[in-house]
């Protein structure tokens, strides 16, 4: 037999667990202490991998059993602390028309505490529209006549379609210039009608304080974009009140040249349609390739949302961001070649110019502008910043320009 402590052939065949038990037993016999039982390590169970989109908020309960989960845009936004409005509330805001735009503006002002329901009054020829607004926003008042609506109003918002404006403005003129419907001394008329210029509104209402504005449909979720132009008669308190009203539905920019309204109509006013059409085309292309429509739509929506947020949070220009995606000989380079060969840029240009010309036509203005037209010389590009006012605007002025460049800028109203 081998001597104690030496490793025999049998020890070589023993497992590590058996050797540990033998050593523990030997130590127990020498010390006289009871033999401690061996502790077994807890058995590890394999963890299941998380499902696609698990933990993300669902947009519809019907998608809870689907492997394709829907992302919500709210999940990508950082919660903002509630802010208190420092601008005094307006005594009365009257809405001529109770459609989607009026409903969106009311929703924004109430949710942000800018106005109280008792200070908002609506009037519409369709009774159901007013009832819908009152059911959604308890406390909002309804006026049966225009005279009741405009009586002592500080702001009157024209939220009707341009095609319905002639009859409405005739009735509004009689109301505001009568004792029953007389507005406050410094009341402001705010028009969100497409294409109707300030001089046309003054001719039909004889109200000197006018604000012409152009919102877009994302104001429904308070993420819209509003470009607005006030007349010189609108004083500083009224400007702050209007700016406060527009800030409740998204971003807003006050401009000093009314021409910007028709231009912004073609960009931000009709812009959501361009994006929706592009999104729809991408979704259909994904289905054509073989993706499920639900998955294709999700990918397109998230791609657009992420790209917009990335562009907003980046200090780079859009051209730089676009070029960063293109790799030499890659998939995006092939797509770029196809889009350029198909005239993608020119088609978008023509669509925006067509929308701009139509906006001019709705206002009775000369629409003979744009590429290849006779009056392209009077158009020029404008700078957003007020820095370097002595510099010539980007694009340069022409011999046909008679407007002082210093007065031909835009600025955000704060």
């Amino acid at each position: 037999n081998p001597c104690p402590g030496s490793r025999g052939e049998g020890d070589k065949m023993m497992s590590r667990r058996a050797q540990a038990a033998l050593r523990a037993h030997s130590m127990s016999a020498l010390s006289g202490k009871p033999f401690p039982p061996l502790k077994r390590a807890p058995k590890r169970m394999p963890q299941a991998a998380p499902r696609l989109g698990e933990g993300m908020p669902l947009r519809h309960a019907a998608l809870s059993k689907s492997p394709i989960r829907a992302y919500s845009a709210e999940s990508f936004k950082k919660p903002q602390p509630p802010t208190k409005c420092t601008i005094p509330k307006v005594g009365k805001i009257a809405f001529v028309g109770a459609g989607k735009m009026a409903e969106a503006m009311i929703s924004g002002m109430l949710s942000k505490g800018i106005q109280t329901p008792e200070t908002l009054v609506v009037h519409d020829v369709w009774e159901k529209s007013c009832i819908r607004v009152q059911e959604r926003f308890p406390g909002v008042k309804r006026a049966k006549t225009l005279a009741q609506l405009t009586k002592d109003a500080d702001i009157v918002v024209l939220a009707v379609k341009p095609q319905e404006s002639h009859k409405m403005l005739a009735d509004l003129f009689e109301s505001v210039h009568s004792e029953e419907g007389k507005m406050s001394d410094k009341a402001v008329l705010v028009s969100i009608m497409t294409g109707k210029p300030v001089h046309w509104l003054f001719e039909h209402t004889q109200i000197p304080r006018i604000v012409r504005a152009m919102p877009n449909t994302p104001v429904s979720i308070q993420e819209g974009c509003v470009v607005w132009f006030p007349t010189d008669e609108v004083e500083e308190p009224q400007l702050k009140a209007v700016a406060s009203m527009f800030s409740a539905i998204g971003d807003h920019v006050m401009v000093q040249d009314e021409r910007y309204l028709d231009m912004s109509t073609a960009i931000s006013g009709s812009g959501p349609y361009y994006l929706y059409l592009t999104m729809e085309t991408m979704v259909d292309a994904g289905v054509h390739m073989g993706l499920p429509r639900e998955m294709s739509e999700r990918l397109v929506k998230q791609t657009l949302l992420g790209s917009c947020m990335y562009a907003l949070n980046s200090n780079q220009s859009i051209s730089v961001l676009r070029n960063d995606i293109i790799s030499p000989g890659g998939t995006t380079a092939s797509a770029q070649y196809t889009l350029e060969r198909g005239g993608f840029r020119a088609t978008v240009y023509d669509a925006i110019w067509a929308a701009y010309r139509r906006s001019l036509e709705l206002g009775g203005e000369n629409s003979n502008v744009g590429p290849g037209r006779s009056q392209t010389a009077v158009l020029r590009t404008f700078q957003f910043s007020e820095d370097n006012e002595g510099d010539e605007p980007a694009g340069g002025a022409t011999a046909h320009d008679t407007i002082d460049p210093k007065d031909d800028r835009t600025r955000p109203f704060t």
Side-chain angles (χ1 to χ4, degrees):
N1 294 333
C3 62
S6 64
R7 295 182 58 88
E9 295 296 333
D11 292 335
K12 294 181 179 180
M13 302 301 295
M14 294 175 63
S15 64
R16 293 182 179 180
R17 189 175 187 84
Q19 294 177 23
L22 180 60
R23 288 194 297 268
H25 180 73
S26 301
M27 294 298 295
S28 177
L30 294 174
S31 62
K33 295 181 180 180
F35 175 69
L38 294 177
K39 295 182 179 181
R40 293 188 177 183
K43 187 177 181 181
R44 295 183 179 180
M45 300 297 294
Q47 297 181 355
R51 298 181 62 187
L52 178 62
E54 187 174 0
M56 300 302 294
L58 298 181
R59 191 168 298 171
H60 301 288
L63 300 179
S64 58
K65 297 182 181 180
S66 172
I68 306 299
R69 302 299 179 92
Y71 286 97
S72 171
E74 296 297 330
S75 62
F76 296 92
K77 295 181 180 179
K78 296 181 179 180
Q80 299 292 335
T83 57
K84 295 183 180 180
C85 180
T86 58
I87 300 177
K89 293 181 175 62
V90 178
K92 179 180 179 180
I93 299 181
F95 288 88
V96 182
K100 294 181 179 179
M101 284 294 178
E103 195 171 350
M105 295 176 70
I106 293 174
S107 175
M109 287 187 288
L110 294 181
S111 63
K112 296 187 177 181
I114 296 177
Q115 294 292 133
T116 58
E118 294 75 17
T119 61
L120 305 178
V121 188
V122 295
H123 171 76
D124 200 298
V125 294
W126 299 99
E127 185 178 356
K128 293 182 179 179
S129 299
C130 295
I131 295 176
R132 184 186 68 250
V133 172
Q134 287 184 306
E135 290 177 350
R136 181 180 176 186
F137 310 107
V140 175
K141 300 178 182 179
R142 174 197 169 197
K144 295 183 178 180
T145 63
L146 280 176
Q148 294 178 359
L149 179 74
T150 59
K151 180 65 176 178
D152 298 326
D154 298 295
I155 297 177
V156 177
V157 182
L158 302 182
V160 298
K161 297 180 180 179
Q163 296 82 355
E164 305 170 355
S165 59
H166 291 276
K167 177 65 170 60
M168 179 273 299
L169 288 178
D171 298 337
L172 182 66
F173 175 83
E174 297 180 0
S175 299
V176 298
H177 294 287
S178 65
E179 291 297 328
E180 295 80 7
K182 186 178 180 180
M183 301 186 299
S184 63
D185 294 336
K186 295 184 179 181
V188 179
L189 181 67
V190 178
S191 173
I192 59 175
M193 294 187 297
T194 303
K196 297 301 181 182
V198 167
H199 70 82
W200 185 88
L201 294 169
F202 177 75
E203 290 173 1
H204 286 78
T205 62
Q206 296 299 308
I207 300 175
R209 299 175 183 86
I210 298 176
V211 170
R212 180 187 170 192
M214 184 62 228
N216 56 8
T217 54
V219 300
S220 301
I221 59 171
Q222 301 172 19
E223 291 292 343
C225 182
V226 184
V227 180
W228 55 290
F229 166 78
T231 58
D232 295 336
E233 289 75 12
V234 183
E235 299 178 2
E236 194 72 13
Q238 288 74 37
L239 289 176
K240 291 183 178 181
V242 174
S244 175
M245 181 176 63
F246 288 146
S247 67
I249 54 178
D251 190 17
H252 66 99
V253 179
M254 188 187 79
V255 297
Q256 298 173 336
D257 192 329
E258 191 181 2
R259 292 182 299 172
Y260 285 165
L261 271 296
D262 294 307
M263 298 176 185
S264 61
T265 298
I267 298 294
S268 60
S270 301
Y273 168 79
Y274 313 146
L275 299 179
Y276 294 150
L277 180 62
T278 303
M279 293 170 63
E280 183 183 20
T281 305
M282 294 174 65
V283 171
D284 292 340
V287 175
H288 191 196
M289 289 186 294
L291 290 176
R293 179 168 292 276
E294 183 184 8
M295 180 179 180
S296 181
E297 185 171 343
R298 172 187 170 181
L299 294 177
V300 171
K301 289 180 178 179
Q302 177 56 35
T303 300
L304 183 66
L305 174 64
S307 300
C308 290
M309 294 184 66
Y310 185 42
L312 288 172
N313 289 280
S314 175
N315 295 326
Q316 302 292 337
S317 66
I318 297 179
S319 299
V320 173
L321 297 178
R322 177 183 61 83
N323 288 324
D324 287 344
I325 306 174
I326 302 175
S327 300
T331 57
T332 308
S334 299
Q336 179 192 29
Y337 169 76
T338 303
L339 290 173
E340 297 290 355
R341 186 183 62 178
F344 178 77
R345 290 175 181 266
T347 303
V348 175
Y349 274 43
D350 292 341
I352 294 176
W353 274 105
Y356 173 51
R357 285 192 287 267
R358 181 55 182 163
S359 180
L360 294 174
E361 292 172 356
L362 290 174
E365 303 292 335
N366 186 359
S367 61
N368 189 28
V369 295
R373 305 301 177 102
S374 61
Q375 295 189 2
T376 55
V378 301
L379 299 176
R380 67 184 187 200
T381 57
F382 308 98
Q383 292 181 351
F384 184 81
S385 173
E386 288 187 340
D387 298 333
N388 303 324
E389 291 189 357
D391 296 341
E392 186 176 296
T398 64
H400 297 76
D401 282 308
T402 58
I403 301 178
D404 186 0
K406 296 182 181 180
D407 298 331
D408 207 17
R409 305 289 178 89
T410 65
R411 62 181 177 91
F413 186 85
T414 56

